[in-house]
Amino acid sequence: VGNALAEHRTHMPSAEAVLGAADSARLEQCIAAIEDVNSGDGRWVALEHLRCFCDGASVELLEAIGGRRFATLRVLLGLLREAEGEAACQGEPSRVPVGLVLQLLEALLCTATHNLRPFLKLDGGVKHLARCLRAIDTLAHSLEPDAATLWLVDRACGILSHLALHQPEVAEPLVSADGVPFVTRILQCAREHYKRACVQRAAGDAASPDAAEQATDDPWDSLTRHTAELAATLSAGSQAAQRDLALNGAMRAILDLLRLLTAERVGPTMALGSLLLVEQLLLSASATVWCLPRAQTMLLDSGSLDALARPLVASFERLSAADEPPASGDVAIYQATLLLLLSSQLENRPVQVELWATAERLGRGALAARLRSLSHMFYQMFDLCEHINLNHFHADEVAKGLRLLTHLLASEEEAPYLFIHMNGALDLLLRCLSNIDEEVLYAACCALFCLISRSPPARLLFLRKRGIGQLLDCVHDYNTAIVTTSLQILCLLAAENSAAREEMRREDVLLGVLRIVERFPAEDVTLAVLDAALEAVCHIVLDSPSNQEYVRTNGGMQPVVAALAHCAATQSKAEQDQGHNVRWDLTAPEGGGYAAASSGRVLPRPATAPGGSAARDPRRACEAFSRGQGSMQAVAPNTSASGLEPRPSDALKATEAACSALGNLVYRHSDNQRAALDSGVANLCLQLLRTPDACAHVAALSLLVNLADTNSRAQELLCTPESADAFFSLLTRSSDSRVLCYLCLLLSHAVWNHPAGQRLFGDRLTLQQLLSFLAAPRLPCAKAEAVPGAAAEGGREALVLYALMALVNLTYNNPEVQHLVRELSGIPLVQQQLSSAAYDVRRSASFCLGNLVKDNDGNACVLVSSGGLERLLLCLNDEDEDELSKTAYSTICQLGEPGLAKLLELVGDSLRALRPAARAGTTLPRRTVAPPPLGMPQQWWGTHVRPPPPLLREDEDSPIEDELIEDGLNGMCVYDAQEITVAREPPAPPPGRMGDPLYTAALEQLERCLPVLNGMVYEFEDLRLAMAQRGGLATLLELLPHAPPHVEEEALHVLLNSLYGQPEASKLATLRLGAVGVLQKSAAAAAPAGEPAVQSMCYAVLCGLVDNCPRAAEEFLTSSAALQALLSSCSGAAIGSIGSGDAAREGEVQERATDLLLALCQDGTVRSALLVSDVATRCLERVASASRNTLHAGKARQALAEHRGCRT
């Protein structure tokens, strides 16, 4: 590889590189306009433009806007100074939009922390922010404080808190600017607010749901939390501020707030906002009483110990008795309360005695014993920190203290939380990372590893204190143990925090790790160091396109590929020397859910883990999947996950780490995929597949999956006879479930949209093996828990999922594979997976069945005859975003005529259950088997598939349009059949059918079948023809009198889409079924029953029958009652008006009735017979003159004119 990284160095991107030249110029103009005091209101317009620059901007962009290139921070600070001056001179609110200025400062400082130091260098930055807190005086005596002022103070307090947390030196200028009295004043105002809130709740004002919601979303929660955080940071950074807060009323206000809030809100169901507030108040009190006896004694004088001990006892009892993992609220309140109590009794004997007595009285001994144990540990950690500080010049004493501290941090679950909130404890560890002594440095790394591996808050604080930059020196150390432990710390930090990954790139940590990989092999870069470095690369580039790009452009991929080649060769040689007798199992004892991967027929998704969760050891955090984010749990560095199983060889570990790193580098990154293929990574992976080690197989296959993801070149390399032989050998001989899952996943990616790959892998033997995974009652390996999928079945669902994914892409547009799957009896096996407990398995099975039956009537008949359509119907629901429901519906539509026949059979069965004979309890008639569809072999047609007897064949026609259309010949206006699923609650069963399971089952079956039928006849012309041939229209017409209204409406939708636009011959055949009479009776029954939707749909179907069919119009006019009802429906003060609720439904009835009336007027003979009636003529005249629908009015005028013998 040479010295590929020698010339590369990271630099902060320039403003032009982030913004572009044009945007940079616009930003400069915007800032200049804001600064121009003579531009009037144009300044505030420019300020709004600046907000547009910052809204939704990335961290890099915000750093560029607030950096030295632009005067953004200086100008915003000038606006604060201007607002303060105007208020002092005029005694009235300033014209400066202070809220907007604070919003911009919040974005530039709190999101982009690199802007903090430039801001602090500005003259008076902290002072002017602190003076924004003066607005709290306007809220002091207000019962209903101004929300805008409250928001302004909250923003200013939040910015100051963020500044003080990241830059402790802020404490001194904030104290100098009289910020502490304002902090105290805010806490006192918050106390008064919560007192009033408690009184209101006691008076019953919060009994309503609205009041409860307001209490949960109280804006004072955010302000009080930010103020408490600021008070805690000031107490930790300045002894003067701590003393002022303790003695001038802030501590008293905090204790009062704790009594109010813990009495009202603490519990297992506490809202998140309240939980954060109470925890922050406890932390603020802990920082204030730290080593300050007068503040500690205040807990005794105010009686707060008893009030604090009660929620501690409650949380302790719940945590002790809980069988399941405790709620985060209980843990947070317990730990924060524990910290306050232990801090208050530190070196204070009276408080300690009272604390033990209170614990004995409230906790019945168990809590007191626990408190004594934790107090002893707390004192030990405190003494060790003091000992290290006092003996910092004695390296042996410091190293010894750090080792003891590591032991304490691992001894109790509460230890990490208590340690990081000790004043200066984490800073002490960071200072030790800069020690030149080797023993001290290694002991500090071990202590830090133990701390952050067990405490997520410690990771956040470590990042806020810029600890990553200090780790860089440890990464460059010559001691391999120090380097390895430092790299493991980087893995922990990068695994869970995307901001940490970005910071590692910008602080040159990623570059330093790549240089370690590049120097391998060397005396100080052993296989163990290489393994840790590759794991670090794997985590740092995780889900970070910028880091992926950075590695490639800086020549970092070549060293990783070279390391993989070296480790693979070393491993092969070692296995040859050992006779291939050693097998290692690196699977974590804990299982996790597998993630969904590609099962689609259009776009695949990249690899996801057959082995979902990561192992306990952070070195194996990426072992299961190249991009999995496992939970990091504490173990000592360089130890086994369980402590019992042997460690694998260093070459094997490094090989897996190299594959994981390359897998994350190429994940969804086409340029990196191309670079990896150019470097020969695919051949190295195939070489690893020829080794006997299953862990090497898993690592190589996971890398190949990410290489082949939507990459045609990688697919070409994988779809060769040599690769196929290697894959099939593993597929048939491997006894490791992880290998089988990854093989199936790789197979699905290799053949995606690749006909040559489908032909190569779509052979009988491969399909047999894949189908065997669907039929296997258990995994073909001894350790099934290696693939966590469904715990009850030992992970079988995971293997089934990936086998289905392979079948999905093999069967897509592949008639040969479709035929082979049917010959191998695979369709029932795939269909069975529709009943799986795993959602992803059901979805993949639905996709696979859709591919199998597409343009394949033989497979469709097999699926229908084996009960597949019923299973697919159970997968449907009304959720628009449900992928399973959408794929199941698509698969049913692909079934074509066999599926339609089965749906009609199910509708017929339900109809027989709804008939009066069935209501009376008589036996259903015995069914006979109909012949198979035309051109279909008898053996494909199951004995329990009975389509209705065929009727007169109808011609095809196109689907109805989705909007109003105008017929060119007759000017007829028609409507689409609105929604497939009727959004209406089903009515109660009729009398005598309450609780009847036969009736209920029939209704449920109709509710599933009819919407699907409607969609099928709407989308496919051939199915509309088949609907008439197989007696579907007769079945639907027979259903109308017996169905409840919501089912009747669905059936009418199907009729509308089946009949509209058909030629006259087809409509005549429908007339012979008595369609007009049935629809007239349904409309007549719906009107008095208050079912306007049914009445409207009846008129719509009749309109479709009458259109271009005079015989149907004549038959309609034979019923004077039906004509009278129609004319009555057409009448109204405002025909066609659209309202809401019942008015809208009535308006729809009028619209559809008017359509039918105009359709009856198309034929001259029928029109003449109709308009003989004066009522019909007046109705038509009313439509012509008063209708708001201009189309209706024009057609009515035309009909009247033709009737009178004059055309317009």
Side-chain angles (χ1 to χ4, degrees), residues 18 56 68 183 342 375 404 447 460 479 586 641 655 873 1102-1103 1187:
V18 177
R68 290 176 296 179
V183 171
L342 294 179
S375 177
L404 291 174
L460 295 177
N479 186 304
L586 302 185
T655 301
L873 287 173
L1102 283 169
C1103 183
S1187 175

Side-chain angles (χ1 to χ4, degrees), residues 200-252:
Q200 292 174 358
R201 282 193 290 271
D205 292 342
S208 65
D210 294 339
E213 185 176 354
Q214 281 184 345
T216 303
D217 300 330
D218 194 341
W220 277 92
D221 284 0
S222 176
L223 175 58
T224 310
R225 184 175 71 250
H226 286 147
T227 309
E229 185 177 4
L230 179 58
T233 310
L234 288 175
S235 297
S238 170
Q239 292 184 355
Q242 181 190 13
R243 187 168 52 255
D244 289 346
L245 290 169
L247 304 180
N248 293 334
M251 181 64 185
R252 180 73 64 182

Side-chain angles (χ1 to χ4, degrees), residues 1008-1132:
R1008 288 193 296 267
C1009 294
L1010 290 177
V1012 177
L1013 269 175
N1014 187 39
M1016 294 175 73
V1017 299
Y1018 177 83
E1019 296 183 33
F1020 303 99
E1021 296 181 12
D1022 57 330
L1023 295 184
R1024 286 202 297 276
L1025 178 62
M1027 185 78 171
Q1029 293 175 346
R1030 297 196 163 272
L1033 300 179
T1035 303
L1036 293 173
L1037 289 171
E1038 188 178 0
L1039 175 64
L1040 295 180
H1042 307 295
H1046 73 289
V1047 175
E1048 186 178 5
E1049 185 180 351
E1050 290 282 3
L1052 289 167
H1053 277 287
V1054 183
L1055 281 170
L1056 176 63
N1057 283 338
S1058 301
L1059 291 176
Y1060 179 77
Q1062 293 289 340
E1064 186 177 4
S1066 299
K1067 294 181 180 181
L1068 291 175
T1070 308
L1071 292 179
R1072 288 194 286 272
L1073 298 174
V1076 172
V1078 172
L1079 292 169
Q1080 288 174 337
K1081 291 179 181 178
S1082 294
E1091 294 292 339
V1094 174
Q1095 186 182 9
S1096 173
M1097 287 305 305
C1098 287
Y1099 286 149
V1101 179
L1102 283 169
C1103 183
L1105 273 174
V1106 168
D1107 184 29
N1108 292 327
C1109 185
R1111 174 68 179 278
E1114 294 172 359
E1115 185 172 344
F1116 182 89
L1117 294 181
T1118 58
S1119 173
S1120 59
L1123 178 59
Q1124 183 179 358
L1126 174 65
L1127 296 175
S1128 176
S1129 298
C1130 289
S1131 63

Side-chain angles (χ1 to χ4, degrees), residues 539-718:
H539 284 86
I540 295 173
V541 302
L542 176 68
D543 283 337
S544 177
S546 56
N547 286 1
Q548 292 173 304
E549 183 74 16
Y550 174 85
V551 172
R552 181 179 55 82
T553 55
N554 285 275
M557 292 194 66
Q558 293 86 351
V560 180
V561 175
L564 175 61
H566 184 279
C567 295
T570 303
Q571 181 192 352
S572 299
K573 183 178 182 303
E575 288 171 347
Q576 291 174 3
D577 295 340
Q578 296 173 8
H580 311 299
N581 291 324
V582 179
R583 291 291 180 91
W584 304 96
D585 190 350
L586 302 185
T587 305
E590 294 85 15
Y594 56 86
S598 168
S599 57
R601 292 167 285 180
V602 180
L603 287 177
R605 292 174 59 103
T608 51
S613 67
R616 293 172 65 91
D617 189 346
R619 298 166 59 83
R620 299 270 65 80
C622 288
E623 181 269 330
F625 173 41
S626 58
R627 64 182 296 267
Q629 299 185 41
S631 59
M632 302 296 178
Q633 303 186 28
V635 294
N638 302 312
T639 59
S640 171
S642 65
L644 299 176
E645 56 184 299
R647 296 294 295 171
S649 67
D650 287 340
L652 176 58
K653 293 186 294 180
T655 301
E656 293 178 281
C659 289
S660 297
L662 285 170
N664 278 2
L665 282 168
V666 304
Y667 175 69
R668 290 184 177 178
H669 200 290
S670 57
D671 292 336
N672 284 8
Q673 287 176 330
R674 184 164 49 253
L677 292 173
D678 292 340
S679 302
V681 170
N683 292 329
L684 290 175
C685 292
L686 293 177
Q687 178 183 341
L688 287 174
L689 294 182
R690 299 186 184 98
T691 64
D693 197 290
C695 294
H697 298 162
V698 171
L701 289 169
S702 65
L703 173 54
L704 286 174
V705 167
N706 281 352
L707 273 176
D709 176 40
T710 64
N711 189 298
S712 58
R713 182 182 168 192
Q715 288 177 309
E716 294 292 341
L717 291 175
L718 295 176

